[in-house]
């Protein structure tokens, strides 16, 4: 794109987005306010919908164990009564359980609703909760398509209620280090970014065993998974996406398999299939999923080679930002190891970060950094991240939401705008693959 054209689209984008505020200053309401912390004189009343593995651990058991001094779990809701009963016991909750969400809200009157259902139902519950007078904390992705995204933005505006999208990756030590380096402008103004994300044959394969393998439930990995990565990039760059072009292929899972069955537990190829996964060894999963199958038919150890799988495992995306930065991103879901490479090209140099998550050679959760100033030498250093529940990131984020709603110097808290702009890159990417053309964000949603 010529400079003139990009300047024009930049101005058009900025005016159409009603005065974009970026970076650390992007959430004035959350920074000023005390939105999700303890109300004066009593505990915050929290209700949760979606008692699967994430709901009953991070947003169930952890909240009850570690935040009972500031909040009270008043209701739990799920469509599966057996999973709901087990989850209540697992969390150590004493509150009532509901199949009917509206009834739960009317009877328990929560201040805040936590949404941890299957992705495609986030928008429904976010909107219902706000209409019924609650603030909302939702797991990513905020929504799985453009209409749901628009509904949330409109209803938030109409009701005056507030939404937090829990982008816990913003709280990982290496993501924070990258943000600090970019904010210092040590490598000058960023002009372009190379970002490659690798999911391994264990974690990557797990998405093909579950509802995530279907666009209608997850929006594809470009939405379900990459929303984390697009959010990081939007935050790191303090920029907003304008246009997206993408390619996607299914090359390993689904119809590519030469053997298949319905599920691992009853599979005749247990001895030979490299992707065989024995759910019976995990007592928590047996209770949460297998023993609850009779209610909703959700099979947690489905075959990764089911022919109906309709998401991609090999994706490439180009994004143009409002400030002329361009990003090349790839996501591959059957790699021998897990983690990411990101390289920021700046007017004064380059920042390379290599982040190791699961590695066959046992290096876990560490990152190597290299900062190279043009015409000078490189400086290298490493950081190690420890802690449980996503390298300790979940707890730091929850502390910020429930205990320390004060200053937010890195602008880590994310609301509906950040939730929308990250999932819209994935949604535009999906539309781009399906319709074989680039998509502008403003074609999809008016923010
Ligand atoms: N930020 C992170 O690191 C992270 C990690 C894991 C999961 N997640 C997110 O958490 C959410 C839940 O993931 P999970 O792994 O626990 O999935 P899961 O399949 O274990 O749980 C989903 C739950 O939603 C329930 N559900 C489905 N449809 C529903 C409906 N219409 N109404 C009410 N409940 C319904 C299911 O019965 C199930 O209990 C997802 O959105 C996922 O993206 C985020």
């Amino acid at each position: 794109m010529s400079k003139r054209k990009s300047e024009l689209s930049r101005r058009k984008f900025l005016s159409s987005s009603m005065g974009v505020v970026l970076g650390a200053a992007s959430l004035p309401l959350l920074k000023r306010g005390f939105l999700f912390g303890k109300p004066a004189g009593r505990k915050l009343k929290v209700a949760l919908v979606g008692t699967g593995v994430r709901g009953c651990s991070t947003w169930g058991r952890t909240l009850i164990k570690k935040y009972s001094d500031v909040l009270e779990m008043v209701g739990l809701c799920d469509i599966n009564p057996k999973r709901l009963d087990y989850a209540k016991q697992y969390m150590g909750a004493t509150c009532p359980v509901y199949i009917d969400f509206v009834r739960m809200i009317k009877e328990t009157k929560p201040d805040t609703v936590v949404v941890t259902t299957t992705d495609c139902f986030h928008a429904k519950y976010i909107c219902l909760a706000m209409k019924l007078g609650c603030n909302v904390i939702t797991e990513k992705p905020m929504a799985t398509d453009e209409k749901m995204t628009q509904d949330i933005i409109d209803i938030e505006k109409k009701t005056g209620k507030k939404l937090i999208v829990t982008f816990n990756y913003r709280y990982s030590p290496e993501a924070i280090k990258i943000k600090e380096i970019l904010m210092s402008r040590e490598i000058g103004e960023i002009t372009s970014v190379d970002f490659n994300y690798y999911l391994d044959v264990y974690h990557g394969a797990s998405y093909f065993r579950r509802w995530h393998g279907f666009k209608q439930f997850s929006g594809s990995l470009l939405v379900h998974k990459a929303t984390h990565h697009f959010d990081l990039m939007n935050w790191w760059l303090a920029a907003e996406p304008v246009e997206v072009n993408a390619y996607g292929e299914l090359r390993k899972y689904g119809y590519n398999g030469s053997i298949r069955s319905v599920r691992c537990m009853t599979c005749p190829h247990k001895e030979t299939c490299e992707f065989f996964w024995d759910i019976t060894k995990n007592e928590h999963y047996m209770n949460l999923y297998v023993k609850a199958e009779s209610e909703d038919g959700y099979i947690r150890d489905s075959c990764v080679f089911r022919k109906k799988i309709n998401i991609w495992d090999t994706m490439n995306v180009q994004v143009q930002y409002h400030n002329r930065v361009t990003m090349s991103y790839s996501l591959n879901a059957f790699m021998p190891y897990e983690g990411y490479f990101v390289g920021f090209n700046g007017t004064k140099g380059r920042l390379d970060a290599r982040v190791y998550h699961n590695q066959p050679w046992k290096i876990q959760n560490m990152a190597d950094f290299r900062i190279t100033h043009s015409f000078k030498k490189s400086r290298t250093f490493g950081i190690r991240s420890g802690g449980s529940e996503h390298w300790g990131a979940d707890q730091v984020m929850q502390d910020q939401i429930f205990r320390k709603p004060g200053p937010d110097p890195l602008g880590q808290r994310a609301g509906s705008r950040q939730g929308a702009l990250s999932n819209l890159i994935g949604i535009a990417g999906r539309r781009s693959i399906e319709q074989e053309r680039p998509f502008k964000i403003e074609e999809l949603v008016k923010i």
Side-chain angles (χ1 to χ4, degrees):
M1 186 185 277
S2 70
K3 186 171 177 203
R4 188 173 167 275
K5 204 168 155 206
S6 70
E7 279 301 311
L8 280 176
S9 17
R10 175 176 177 272
R11 261 182 267 132
K12 192 170 159 213
F13 177 78
L14 288 175
S15 63
S16 73
S17 55
M18 295 184 304
V20 183
V21 277
L22 294 172
S26 62
L27 286 169
L29 261 177
L30 288 171
K31 277 173 66 122
R32 255 190 279 124
F34 187 62
L35 287 170
F36 292 84
K38 193 171 92 56
R42 66 168 174 87
K43 292 182 183 180
L44 183 81
K45 292 207 279 176
V46 176
L48 181 142
V49 59
T51 57
V53 68
R54 184 76 172 158
C56 75
S57 56
T58 312
W59 296 103
R61 190 142 110 155
T62 304
L63 288 198
I64 290 168
K65 268 192 167 176
K66 295 190 177 157
Y67 296 90
S68 281
D69 55 325
V70 287
L71 63 83
E72 180 190 359
M73 189 64 78
V74 296
L76 301 171
C77 174
D78 198 286
I79 45 164
N80 187 320
K82 285 193 178 163
R83 186 170 308 118
L84 195 50
D85 285 342
Y86 168 71
K88 176 179 172 177
Q89 174 211 323
Y90 176 83
M91 291 180 200
T94 51
C95 59
V97 295
Y98 296 86
I99 300 293
D100 182 335
F101 179 78
V102 175
R103 193 173 151 212
M104 173 174 79
I105 303 297
K106 289 192 171 158
E107 287 184 8
T108 66
K109 299 184 177 50
D111 303 297
T112 298
V113 170
V114 178
V115 179
T116 50
T117 62
T118 305
D119 296 352
C120 60
F121 302 113
H122 289 183
K124 167 185 163 181
Y125 290 116
I126 293 168
C127 293
L128 260 178
M130 290 197 288
K131 280 186 194 162
L132 291 165
C134 307
N135 290 320
V136 182
I137 297 171
T138 186
E139 262 302 347
K140 43 57 59 174
M142 185 178 92
T144 51
D145 72 22
E146 51 276 54
K147 184 181 176 310
M148 296 177 190
T149 308
Q150 187 74 61
D151 286 349
I152 293 170
I153 288 163
D154 294 346
I155 287 170
E156 187 185 38
K157 203 170 159 195
K158 201 166 155 192
T159 59
K161 290 293 154 187
K162 285 292 154 208
L163 173 66
I164 283 183
V165 184
T166 58
F167 285 124
N168 49 351
Y169 225 178
R170 289 182 177 204
Y171 297 81
S172 66
E174 73 280 349
I176 290 171
K177 180 54 83 184
I178 291 171
K179 179 73 177 167
E180 287 169 348
I181 295 167
L182 296 179
M183 281 172 83
S184 78
R185 296 181 64 85
E186 187 175 348
I187 57 165
E189 196 180 328
I190 304 305
T191 52
S192 62
V193 191
D194 317 316
F195 190 9
N196 310 116
Y197 205 99
Y198 309 112
L199 293 167
D200 70 11
V201 280
Y202 305 102
H203 186 201
S206 77
Y207 296 111
F208 295 81
R209 300 185 196 284
R210 306 179 269 165
W211 48 262
H212 310 62
F214 298 92
K215 285 185 210 173
Q216 56 273 34
F217 298 129
S218 67
S220 83
L221 288 179
L222 283 179
V223 177
H224 172 81
K225 190 68 195 170
T227 189
H228 268 311
H229 314 149
F230 298 142
D231 173 67
L232 279 180
M233 191 54 64
N234 298 349
W235 174 63
W236 281 331
L237 294 172
E240 302 203 344
V242 176
E243 188 170 285
V244 177
N245 189 39
Y247 300 95
E249 294 284 349
L250 182 60
R251 297 296 305 272
K252 181 79 180 174
Y253 304 108
Y255 57 75
N256 292 288
S258 55
I259 47 170
R260 63 180 49 81
S261 181
V262 175
R263 67 186 304 172
C264 286
M265 207 156 69
T266 54
C267 183
H269 308 289
K270 278 181 192 175
E271 302 303 323
T272 48
C273 180
E274 290 176 311
F275 288 93
F276 171 68
W277 175 64
D278 191 354
I279 193 172
T280 63
K281 290 193 172 143
N282 187 322
E283 196 189 339
H284 179 45
Y285 281 10
M286 289 298 284
N287 287 325
L288 197 59
Y289 300 112
V290 177
K291 289 186 183 163
E293 272 173 18
S294 56
E295 306 305 300
D296 59 5
Y298 177 14
I299 298 180
R300 177 64 182 77
D301 65 336
S302 290
C303 179
V304 299
F305 298 123
R306 283 167 297 160
K307 284 187 177 164
K308 282 185 183 163
I309 286 172
N310 64 11
I311 61 166
W312 307 282
D313 54 22
T314 304
M315 290 143 279
N316 285 270
V317 182
Q318 280 100 43
V319 182
Q320 187 184 44
Y321 282 90
H322 83 277
N323 54 359
R324 296 168 60 206
V325 176
T326 48
M327 172 180 68
S328 287
Y329 167 85
S330 67
L331 178 61
N332 287 285
F334 51 89
M335 294 297 101
Y337 53 78
E338 180 138 336
Y340 65 88
F341 271 116
V342 64
F344 293 86
N345 303 313
T347 50
K348 292 187 188 166
R350 180 173 157 101
L351 164 65
D352 291 288
R354 171 75 178 97
V355 178
Y356 303 89
H357 293 321
N358 299 331
Q359 308 287 318
W361 54 91
K362 302 274 183 223
I363 306 169
Q364 288 220 354
N365 297 337
M366 61 169 288
D368 289 333
F369 284 76
R370 176 180 290 273
I371 300 178
T372 313
H373 294 257
S374 304
F375 310 109
K376 292 182 188 159
K377 286 189 176 167
S378 278
R379 176 162 65 86
T380 59
F381 58 93
I383 56 174
R384 227 167 233 291
S385 46
S388 58
E389 299 205 63
H390 297 110
W391 331 279
D394 286 347
Q395 179 157 3
V396 181
M397 179 181 70
Q398 288 179 330
D399 277 352
Q400 203 185 54
I401 295 173
F402 298 113
R403 292 196 196 282
K404 298 174 195 156
D408 181 18
L410 297 177
Q412 282 163 298
R413 283 186 209 130
S416 58
R417 186 176 190 94
Q418 290 70 26
L421 289 169
S422 63
N423 73 19
L424 282 168
I425 300 180
I427 293 165
R430 172 182 167 186
R431 300 287 173 235
S432 170
I433 297 168
E434 289 166 346
Q435 297 184 33
E436 299 182 354
R437 70 167 180 91
F439 263 80
K440 290 205 186 300
I441 299 296
E442 65 182 13
E443 284 181 69
L444 300 171
V445 167
K446 300 287 170 231
I447 300 182

